[in-house]
Amino acid sequence: LKVLQGMKSREERQALTPVKLRERAAAFAKETVDSQRAGFKRFGVWGDWEDPYLTLQPEYEAAQIGVFGAMALKGHIYRGLKPVHWSPSTRTALAEAELEYPEGHTSRSIYVALDVVEPSPALEKLAGADGAALAVWTTTSWTIPANLAVAVNERIEYAVVKVGGRAVVVAKDLVETFRAKLRPKATEEEPEPKAPAVEIVGTLSGADLAGSNYKHPLADRTSPVVVGGEYITTESGTGLVHTAPGHGRDDYLTGQKHGLPLLSPVDDAGRFTAEAGEGLEGLSVLGEGNAKVIDQLQAAGALLAEEAYGHKYPYDWRSKKPTIFRATEQWFASVDGFREAALAAIGEVQWLPATGRNRITAMTEGRSDWCISRQRSWGVPIPVFYHKETGEPLLEPETVEHVRALVAERGSDVWWTAETAELLPDKYRAQADDYVRGTDTMDVWFDSGSSWSAVAAAREGLSYPADMYLEGSDQHRGWFQSSLLTSVAAEGKAPYKTVLTHGFVLDERGMKMSKSVGNVVDPLLVIEGGKNQKTEPPYGADVLRLWVSTVDYSVDVSIGPNILKQVFESYRKIRNTARYVVGNLHDYDPSAHAVPQEELPALDKWMLARLDDLCEEVDDAFASYQFFRASQALQRFCVSELSGFYLDVAKDRLYISAPGDFRRRSCQTVLQRVAEELARAMAPILPHLAEDVWQNLPYRESLPAESVFLSGWTASAAAGAERALPRAEVDAWEAIREVRDDVNKALELARADKRIGASLEAAVRIHTSNETLAALLAALPSDGLNDLRYVMLASQVELCDSADAVTSKSECVVDSADSASGCTVGVAPATGTKCDRCWNYCSSVGEDASHPAICHRCVDAVTKMGMDPPGQPAAKPAAEPASASAD
């Protein structure tokens, strides 16, 4: 269709042969694939981009014909005359999945009186000698010429009412609604006209009304009142349904039930044929033809009322123009033949979210036979031949297999380029002059619905059923369903083990995106930025991917500038944390400096244990497709565990210690694990950042793989590595962190009260009446690694015996009632002198005459680094210890 729309002249379009059109369509499709492939690559999506499967590839087309043949062989394919969705704009039948229902459609709905000429006994008794008319309502006035019956519900109670001197039959529950519809139109003389008076003469059941006959208002024929089905209700209309078996599914089924003929006086272009009646031939049923029918009804005295009626109406998803329901000869898949097997197969599939199972079950239960033929020149041909004299189709295993083999070798164009004799197998070749090949092609949903056969079952490295099908929630009536039906019909099983569906993207206000509204968010614009990069900054693919990972994809999600700014802030925190970790490994060589896990301080083991927790959480989140959990875990780990605690505490060890000190190397050993596992864990969501981390590790030459994507999954989660710290000790550190939060609260109070500036200017006092917590705090060793003062980022920390002791020694206090940990925490200015190098306050500053401005820890560090006292010539640096364990 895009190819045809791109042609400037009608003559150019008409001069196209099927083969030329197919060539242009194939070229257009390949150009679109190239464009989409470039976009997906830019998004950081992995795929076999150099060898994708395309539905126009000969091997794919051949597999599709094989699926058709398998279904036909089992009796699931037939040709029939019945009403189908028809697009006058593209002149082809359509499937439900090829329709859309845009907002704002309005139809001219009408109420019509059909004069009864042969009333049933019950109706005759109520109507008397003057007779009665049946009131029907329709939103498709153009179908009135095809009316062949009026259907009623045998359980509905109908009323004969007198209105304007005329007896009319209408559902009793709708009498008042019907009366309101008869209100005359407002005029200047009568701006608020009243509805006519209505008198109920009597009532009768639908069963008693059936059997009556009425005269068609525009044609010389009488038609019956018949019992329809439960689709006839009193929710709208009149309770009596105008029935045109050639133009509606329920109408068709009712017609079949009562032996009604099939009348469809509409051609391929949606114009009335001569069968429609005088004055209608050649008129468009969606335009002047519809209006003409209403005029004729008015002239015949049959039009009771007319009004504009807004409702959902099917449009062709390609041409964006209205469709009609029209009876034509088509090829169908008989869903009834395998419906129960399909429903059973649904129960064996995992549906994510679980509501997907209910949705596709309901759709499959109510699914009518699938119209699989299309009147187009592009697509895969339905491999059927027709006898020139009888019109009988030739569809046998040998004919299908022969065409399948030709298509596999030469592509589906062979159906249009080869002679009929060549398309027929040896068995029928001598009779080639008696047959003509069909011109129908298969529904595009049959194309995509055959991918399980053409791809999953055919490609090396893949398997059938596929592990997962992933698409939008609208595909329960599209790809998911067509794949299920073809697979069950041909092979007796579902084509997938799991089906995951997602919602759709809305703007920040929750509105559907529309070019006309101007609220479309272009993914490439998010990634690369707009013309004004201050208002439309280039966020990069990872920020877009991070946004995707944070939302609940099972429902519709919103995106816009403000949301992207928030996501970018989250991304920036992760990136800055990763950069800090990598930066502090600049002089680290795992082969020379790594500290064995069993020798690590307790704080470092806690950090590794929390890293294990992260890996397990991320692994489980990805395994259950709960990407938001993985995203949240990564952000929480970077912001809380790393930046908010461990890295904050580790600064003293990383910056103050001598390069080769054990306390620094043990910390770097942890950062190595953190950097590598963090890169692996974030890789599915933030592939560019993950690879950035991996490539910038200073020891990358000794890494197990040149790319993070070749390094395997997170070690802890995948290998079930032994935990660095027992769970009880991890919990103990969590309790200590809670105390630290209360210490920070007290420090903020002291800072606000101008008692201190930086936290190292403080001396902290802590008391807890919780014996377990008190023991935990007291058990922390003063080893320069796990010291409580380093954990609390204060120059001094004292554990007090009572809350009163804390209060008496402090200038700012957080009472136990106001603390999360239940501790009483106090802050006072630290004692001692501030060290110029580490900024800690202690009494050892000035003890070393060579370094009078720094503390004993810093004296030791600068000596190891070969830094001479101020004013002295530089000395040769001390040799670094040979191994990390010796540090």
Side-chain angles (χ1 to χ4, degrees):
L1 181 62
K2 292 290 186 182
V3 171
L4 293 174
Q5 290 174 340
M7 293 183 176
K8 296 180 180 179
S9 69
R10 183 177 181 182
E11 292 74 17
E12 186 182 8
R13 289 194 294 270
Q14 292 178 336
L16 270 183
T17 64
V19 173
K20 287 292 184 183
L21 175 58
R22 290 172 62 82
E23 288 175 354
R24 291 200 180 192
F28 177 82
K30 290 174 181 176
E31 287 176 8
T32 304
V33 167
D34 289 341
S35 174
Q36 292 175 343
R37 172 167 41 210
F40 278 119
K41 284 184 175 181
R42 186 64 185 89
F43 300 158
V45 176
W46 273 16
D48 189 359
W49 299 120
E50 302 311 311
D51 186 25
Y53 79 83
L54 304 176
T55 57
L56 51 70
Q57 292 168 332
E59 60 270 28
Y60 190 106
E61 296 172 324
Q64 181 176 333
I65 291 176
V67 173
F68 173 88
M71 292 175 66
L73 189 62
K74 293 182 178 182
H76 298 317
I77 302 293
Y78 71 94
R79 186 168 174 81
L81 175 63
K82 60 170 63 178
V84 297
H85 289 288
W86 183 269
S87 172
S89 57
T90 55
R91 302 196 183 191
T92 182
L94 297 175
E96 178 65 36
E98 295 176 286
L99 303 174
E100 57 187 19
Y101 296 82
E103 299 292 333
H105 181 90
T106 301
S107 297
R108 292 179 69 180
S109 75
I110 57 174
Y111 289 80
V112 179
L114 305 175
D115 290 330
V116 176
V117 292
E118 296 178 14
S120 67
L123 179 58
E124 184 176 24
K125 183 178 179 180
L126 292 173
D130 293 336
L134 308 172
V136 297
W137 173 73
T138 182
T139 61
T140 52
S141 307
W142 60 268
T143 61
I144 290 292
N147 173 274
L148 294 177
V150 168
V152 295
N153 187 322
E154 57 187 344
R155 287 192 289 274
I156 289 178
E157 185 177 13
Y158 293 88
V160 176
V161 300
K162 286 282 188 179
V163 54
R166 188 177 198 175
V168 179
V169 181
V170 65
K172 182 182 178 183
D173 290 347
L174 290 168
V175 169
E176 282 304 312
T177 302
F178 175 67
R179 187 175 79 89
K181 299 299 181 183
L182 301 181
R183 178 183 288 111
K185 292 182 179 179
T187 62
E188 290 185 7
E189 295 76 16
E190 193 173 3
E192 295 182 3
K194 295 180 179 180
V198 168
E199 174 192 354
I200 297 179
V201 176
T203 63
L204 71 167
S205 69
D208 289 336
L209 183 58
S212 301
N213 287 282
Y214 63 91
K215 184 183 183 304
H216 194 288
L218 304 181
D220 185 19
R221 64 174 178 264
T222 59
S223 300
V225 176
V226 299
V227 173
E230 294 306 312
Y231 65 92
I232 303 172
T233 68
T234 56
E235 292 181 3
S236 61
T238 64
L240 296 96
V241 175
H242 143 61
T243 300
H247 293 294
R249 179 169 178 259
D250 290 327
D251 301 47
Y252 172 78
L253 295 174
T254 297
Q256 291 288 294
K257 177 180 174 182
H258 294 283
L260 300 176
L262 207 59
L263 175 61
S264 181
V266 181
D267 65 16
D268 291 356
R271 295 186 295 257
F272 280 125
T273 64
E275 284 185 291
E278 187 178 349
L280 295 175
E281 185 178 2
L283 300 181
S284 169
V285 300
L286 293 173
E288 64 269 30
N290 195 65
K292 184 68 173 179
V293 168
I294 297 175
D295 291 342
Q296 290 184 346
L297 290 170
Q298 177 78 52
L303 187 67
L304 295 172
E306 177 197 350
E307 67 175 353
Y309 183 74
H311 62 127
K312 288 190 174 181
Y313 189 89
Y315 279 59
D316 184 331
W317 70 339
R318 292 181 179 85
S319 65
K320 310 299 181 185
K321 294 182 179 179
T323 63
I324 61 176
F325 229 66
R326 169 180 179 249
T328 62
E329 273 203 318
Q330 301 289 340
W331 286 95
F332 296 88
S334 177
V335 178
D336 280 341
F338 51 89
R339 189 187 311 276
E340 292 306 316
L343 291 171
I346 289 172
E348 298 174 2
V349 175
Q350 179 186 19
W351 298 91
L352 299 173
T355 52
R357 175 176 177 174
N358 297 333
R359 187 170 184 184
I360 197 167
T361 296
M363 290 181 173
T364 305
E365 286 175 339
R367 175 75 191 241
S368 59
D369 285 355
W370 176 11
C371 177
I372 63 170
S373 52
R374 296 292 180 270
Q375 289 62 56
R376 302 188 183 109
S377 296
W378 64 91
V380 177
I382 293 181
V384 178
F385 302 86
Y386 300 92
H387 196 278
K388 290 181 179 178
E389 292 185 3
T390 66
E392 283 297 307
L394 176 61
L395 178 61
E396 295 184 357
E398 298 96 322
T399 60
V400 174
E401 174 54 29
H402 184 72
V403 173
R404 189 206 65 77
L406 284 174
V407 169
E409 179 184 352
R410 295 158 58 181
S412 61
D413 281 354
V414 71
W415 187 255
W416 284 268
T417 58
E419 297 294 330
T420 303
E422 187 180 359
L423 296 173
L424 286 166
D426 292 341
K427 179 179 177 181
Y428 292 100
R429 193 157 293 165
Q431 306 169 45
D433 289 342
D434 297 332
Y435 288 95
V436 61
R437 78 197 77 183
T439 57
D440 291 339
T441 54
M442 293 190 208
D443 174 16
V444 291
W445 293 109
F446 203 102
D447 295 0
S448 61
S450 301
S451 55
W452 58 266
S453 176
V455 183
R459 286 210 166 196
E460 185 178 352
L462 302 182
S463 61
Y464 166 73
D467 289 331
M468 173 181 283
Y469 274 38
L470 185 153
E471 247 289 2
S473 55
D474 60 335
Q475 295 306 309
H476 288 110
R477 70 183 183 117
W479 184 45
F480 299 151
Q481 188 172 153
S482 64
S483 299
L484 174 74
L485 297 180
T486 55
S487 181
V488 170
E491 298 294 335
K493 59 184 178 182
Y496 33 63
K497 298 174 185 176
T498 300
V499 172
L500 187 150
T501 57
H502 59 77
F504 295 91
V505 182
L506 310 174
D507 69 10
E508 281 186 321
R509 297 172 298 166
M511 303 294 291
K512 183 179 178 181
M513 291 190 185
S514 169
K515 289 183 179 180
S516 60
V517 176
N519 64 342
V520 174
V521 177
D522 183 352
L524 286 177
L525 192 68
V526 173
I527 294 172
E528 297 173 356
K531 293 181 180 179
N532 185 344
Q533 299 212 340
K534 288 185 177 179
T535 58
E536 296 177 322
Y539 286 117
D542 278 6
V543 171
L544 186 64
R545 294 173 65 98
L546 182 61
W547 166 76
V548 172
S549 74
T550 61
V551 300
D552 178 4
Y553 60 77
S554 66
V555 297
D556 292 347
V557 297
S558 295
I559 190 172
N562 294 322
I563 292 173
L564 285 169
K565 285 179 183 178
Q566 295 170 13
V567 175
F568 176 68
E569 283 304 306
S570 298
Y571 168 80
R572 192 174 60 82
K573 290 175 182 177
I574 295 173
R575 182 177 180 82
N576 287 345
T577 301
R579 184 172 61 181
Y580 183 89
V581 170
V582 172
N584 276 287
L585 292 170
H586 67 93
D587 63 340
Y588 176 78
D589 179 359
S591 61
H593 304 138
V595 176
Q597 183 166 297
E598 61 273 12
E599 297 179 20
L600 291 174
L603 178 59
D604 290 344
K605 289 181 178 179
W606 169 85
M607 187 69 256
L608 292 181
R610 296 300 292 127
L611 180 63
D612 288 340
D613 290 342
L614 170 72
C615 294
E616 290 170 10
E617 171 76 1
V618 168
D619 184 64
D620 183 69
F622 282 133
S624 57
Y625 311 109
Q626 295 178 302
F627 309 117
F628 69 93
R629 278 180 50 209
S631 174
Q632 289 172 357
L634 283 166
Q635 294 181 61
R636 187 169 55 247
F637 181 78
C638 288
V639 173
S640 180
E641 270 80 3
L642 280 176
S643 298
F645 181 58
Y646 184 76
L647 295 180
D648 209 17
V649 173
K651 288 176 183 177
D652 187 89
R653 295 162 64 186
L654 291 170
Y655 299 160
I656 303 306
S657 308
D661 278 357
F662 174 82
R663 68 194 300 264
R664 184 167 182 271
R665 293 304 188 198
S666 66
C667 184
Q668 287 181 309
T669 300
V670 172
L671 296 187
Q672 174 204 347
R673 276 280 312 281
V674 167
E676 294 176 20
E677 297 302 331
L678 193 59
R680 291 188 180 102
M682 73 170 69
I685 296 174
L686 305 171
H688 302 93
L689 177 56
E691 188 67 5
D692 211 9
V693 170
W694 196 265
Q695 295 301 327
N696 281 282
L697 288 170
Y699 52 86
R700 62 180 177 276
E701 298 301 326
S702 62
L703 284 168
E706 61 179 327
S707 168
V708 67
F709 298 104
L710 299 176
S711 69
W713 187 224
T714 56
S716 299
E722 183 179 345
R723 294 191 63 83
L725 203 64
R727 176 57 62 187
E729 294 185 42
V730 173
D731 293 342
W733 274 98
E734 294 304 324
I736 293 171
R737 287 185 66 194
E738 194 169 42
V739 175
R740 184 177 188 264
D741 290 340
D742 290 330
V743 169
N744 285 338
K745 185 177 181 180
L747 290 171
E748 283 302 316
L749 289 174
R751 192 175 289 114
D753 204 29
K754 307 297 185 184
R755 305 287 180 170
I756 62 168
S759 65
L760 290 175
E761 296 177 16
V764 174
R765 277 87 184 189
I766 302 171
H767 167 74
T768 177
S769 58
N770 184 318
E771 294 182 1
T772 302
L773 180 57
L776 288 175
L777 296 173
L780 289 179
S782 298
D783 56 4
L785 296 164
N786 302 296
D787 302 48
L788 196 54
R789 70 186 183 98
Y790 295 135
V791 173
M792 302 302 170
L793 290 184
S795 287
Q796 294 115 32
V797 175
E798 178 185 356
L799 298 178
C800 299
D801 293 334
S802 66
D804 290 341
V806 171
T807 303
S808 65
K809 296 180 179 181
S810 306
E811 297 183 9
C812 290
V813 176
V814 173
D815 189 78
S816 60
D818 298 324
S819 68
S821 64
C823 294
T824 300
V825 179
V827 172
T831 59
T833 306
K834 179 180 179 181
C835 172
D836 282 356
R837 185 168 179 271
C838 70
W839 295 5
N840 274 268
Y841 285 74
C842 67
S843 58
S844 67
V845 175
E847 289 182 355
D848 189 309
S850 299
H851 299 280
I854 60 177
C855 65
H856 68 286
R857 285 193 315 138
C858 291
V859 169
D860 179 64
V862 299
T863 301
K864 288 179 179 178
M865 289 187 287
M867 297 174 64
D868 289 324
Q872 296 292 324
K876 183 178 179 180
E880 187 175 302
S883 68
S885 58
D887 287 354

